[in-house]
Amino acid sequence: MKGVIFNVLEDMVISQCGMQTWNDILDEQVSGTGVYTASESYPDEELFGLVESVADKLEMPMADVISTFGTYMFHQLAARYPVFLNQSDNLRDFLISVGSVIHIEVQKLYDNPNLPTFSYDTIRDDQLIMRYKSPRKLCVLAEGLMRGASEYYKTPIEIDHPVCMHKGSDHCDLVVRFDHG
Ligand code: ZN
């Protein structure tokens, strides 16, 4: 996982729980310095260990922490890389651009970022099915990111997750419903 993701987790924990909590979590989980360079790769297990400690400290289920982290991450990445959002003037177009335009741009920025793949079913106007595939099975993180995008575009959505890699499927279907009310 790229260091930028660790940087975002650090920002979130420090802004919500303070520096002491972040230092305690690093002491528990990390043998190195706990300083992460945005473009460097670090072991996935290290990130998951940190997230597990955050879940312990906040007494929240892991899935909730990962989803909340995804939403926070969206806003942080949006601030760092506004160019990715300028290309789409609505949430639906933005979500569709993630699998093609945005992930291609991210691959130019970061060496071998190991991104998930998305394919899309766009048949219905009021619905978008995003088919997620990744060996990391971080579909909950993807959901959190999508909720961040929903906040950014001020467009309410509902996300259903009827097919999931955690339930034995080889992919996840994230069914996004747009509220036209
Ligand atoms: Zn899933």
Side-chain angles (χ1 to χ4, degrees):
M1 199 72 81
K2 288 294 172 187
V4 64
I5 306 305
F6 290 78
N7 297 155
V8 172
L9 183 68
E10 177 181 348
D11 285 351
M12 181 178 87
V13 172
I14 292 173
S15 73
Q16 297 187 0
C17 311
M19 182 67 92
Q20 187 59 50
T21 302
W22 178 247
N23 286 335
D24 291 348
I25 289 170
L26 287 180
D27 283 348
E28 275 173 33
Q29 291 291 338
V30 178
S31 50
T33 57
V35 176
Y36 300 99
T37 305
S39 58
E40 291 288 314
S41 289
Y42 301 91
D44 284 5
E45 301 74 47
E46 192 160 330
L47 184 75
F48 295 145
L50 291 169
V51 171
E52 221 172 282
S53 279
V54 174
D56 273 359
K57 291 253 184 299
L58 300 181
E59 298 180 341
M60 277 167 74
M62 271 288 270
D64 290 1
V65 173
I66 293 171
S67 175
T68 303
F69 176 47
T71 302
Y72 188 87
M73 192 195 303
F74 178 87
H75 292 293
Q76 294 286 307
L77 295 177
R80 274 179 205 238
Y81 305 112
V83 62
F84 294 154
L85 292 149
N86 296 342
Q87 295 161 358
S88 306
D89 65 2
N90 67 79
L91 177 62
R92 184 186 164 85
D93 287 353
F94 171 76
L95 291 175
I96 292 170
S97 76
V98 170
S100 51
V101 183
I102 292 179
H103 279 178
I104 287 167
E105 291 305 314
V106 173
Q107 271 158 356
K108 290 180 196 163
L109 278 171
Y110 293 102
D111 179 40
N112 191 21
N114 283 321
L115 297 166
T117 58
F118 283 105
S119 54
Y120 295 87
D121 177 340
T122 57
I123 288 170
R124 282 173 55 172
D125 278 348
D126 61 346
Q127 174 178 298
L128 178 66
I129 303 176
M130 295 177 69
R131 178 160 290 187
Y132 169 98
K133 272 193 187 183
S134 165
R136 289 193 173 115
K137 301 186 186 179
L138 282 173
C139 49
V140 177
L141 184 68
E143 261 195 56
L145 284 157
M146 288 155 73
R147 291 187 200 286
S150 161
E151 289 173 3
Y152 179 89
Y153 283 99
K154 298 185 171 56
T155 303
I157 50 172
E158 280 176 36
I159 304 173
D160 284 329
H161 200 147
V163 175
C164 186
M165 297 179 84
H166 294 285
K167 296 177 193 158
S169 182
D170 70 341
H171 69 277
C172 300
D173 279 340
L174 300 168
V175 181
V176 184
R177 289 201 182 76
F178 298 90
D179 176 4
H180 287 289

